[in-house]
Amino acid sequence: MDNFTDTIMENELYSLQLPSNSESVAVLENFIDDLVQKLEIGEDVYANLMTCLNEAITNAIYHGNKQNPDKKVYVNLDVILNKRLVFTVADEGEGFDFNNIPDPTDLDNLEKLTGRGVFIMKRLADQCIFNSRGNEVELHFRY
């Protein structure tokens, strides 16, 4: 993993396959830390990256793959011209209807402890795009 970010160049694609368990969150966080250092990404973008990818992988592990040890979470990173990062996080679950999730800012939902992940990703990433099945999210960040 350490050599992973040593070779980042313009327009490169990198991939991770992670097991559907909580240890994968730490693996992805360590990767992001290395990436931020190598690309000299600012603190604002770093915070948004970490928050969004933590939400995406947590959703993939717990909601998408339901912690099934036989299923993987796939994380791809496309570094585009040293200006933009495009992360894709996909799971092997059935997906969900991302157009019909409750609004976490609605008064009835303010006290709920869950249901904010998609809202957060849409606010913090420069772009947040789900595939039609709802088991893959593409997150864009300018840096």
Side-chain angles (χ1 to χ4, degrees):
M1 182 71 81
D2 291 333
N3 294 334
F4 181 88
T5 53
D6 289 340
T7 60
I8 288 181
M9 297 167 56
E10 294 180 5
N11 295 331
E12 291 291 325
L13 177 66
Y14 301 90
S15 298
L16 299 171
Q17 288 186 26
L18 302 170
S20 293
N21 60 45
S22 59
E23 288 85 28
S24 291
V25 175
V27 170
L28 185 61
E29 288 175 350
N30 288 334
F31 167 72
I32 293 167
D33 284 340
D34 290 344
L35 177 75
V36 164
Q37 278 189 325
K38 297 294 180 189
L39 296 179
E40 299 176 358
I41 293 172
E43 289 183 27
D44 290 351
V45 175
Y46 169 74
N48 291 347
L49 271 172
M50 190 64 83
T51 302
C52 289
L53 289 164
N54 195 303
E55 284 294 335
I57 194 169
T58 299
N59 286 345
I61 291 167
Y62 293 97
H63 299 297
N65 289 346
K66 300 186 182 347
Q67 292 183 279
N68 181 335
D70 297 327
K71 293 184 177 181
K72 301 266 187 245
V73 176
Y74 302 93
V75 180
N76 292 317
L77 166 62
D78 194 3
V79 180
I80 302 172
L81 296 174
N82 288 329
K83 293 182 196 172
R84 195 170 76 211
L85 304 173
V86 179
F87 283 91
T88 305
V89 179
D91 61 59
E92 297 183 88
E94 295 178 18
F96 74 109
D97 183 358
F98 54 89
N99 289 315
N100 283 321
I101 54 175
D103 180 354
T105 65
D106 187 81
L107 287 176
D108 293 336
N109 299 326
L110 287 178
E111 299 294 320
K112 292 184 179 177
L113 299 176
T114 61
R116 291 176 178 79
V118 172
F119 177 83
I120 289 169
M121 288 188 293
K122 285 184 175 183
R123 295 301 180 279
L124 297 181
D126 293 310
Q127 252 183 313
C128 177
I129 305 163
F130 287 91
N131 69 351
S132 60
R133 187 170 145 195
N135 72 327
E136 180 178 293
V137 63
E138 186 176 286
L139 298 164
H140 295 238
F141 300 91
R142 285 186 290 280
Y143 71 97

